[in-house]
Amino acid sequence: MKVRSLLATAGVLSLIIISPAPSRAAAPYHGCPPAFIGPVSFEELIERWPPPPGLDIEGVLSGLDRNGDRQLCVRESVPQNQAGPINVIDNNAAM
């Protein structure tokens, strides 16, 4: 009887010791990484960087906006005064 009780206690203790600690994820960050401009609204983005004609820009931007706040971060690949491609990410990017 003592052996069975001892084994049961050892089993329970081993589960307590081995079980992982709860993860402590950081709160979502709703800003932009240092190299990016923003957060900017869809309207600001469309005004500052006009899309090509015929592109469903609302659909594209909605697909990038993972947290649904209509705010994105933009990184220009050329100097500000020149037209060129931009890199757009959501404003909840991991930092």
Side-chain angles (χ1 to χ4, degrees), residues 12-30:
V12 170
L13 287 176
S14 67
L15 288 176
I16 292 172
I17 292 171
I18 294 174
S19 65
S23 64
R24 299 183 193 272
Y29 175 77
H30 296 285

Side-chain angles (χ1 to χ4, degrees), residues 1-13:
M1 186 72 116
K2 286 186 177 185
V3 173
R4 186 178 278 172
S5 177
L6 183 61
L7 287 174
T9 303
V12 170
L13 287 176

Side-chain angles (χ1 to χ4, degrees), residues 14-77:
S14 67
L15 288 176
I16 292 172
I17 292 171
I18 294 174
S19 65
S23 64
R24 299 183 193 272
Y29 175 77
H30 296 285
C32 297
F36 286 77
I37 300 166
V40 295
S41 68
F42 286 12
E43 294 76 21
E44 292 171 317
L45 194 145
I46 293 168
E47 182 180 324
R48 185 164 175 183
W49 298 278
L55 179 65
D56 175 23
I57 192 64
E58 284 285 330
V60 171
L61 296 178
S62 293
L64 295 170
D65 184 23
R66 295 192 174 197
N67 60 354
D69 66 354
R70 297 183 58 86
Q71 298 283 311
L72 297 169
C73 303
V74 180
R75 182 175 183 189
E76 297 176 307
S77 59

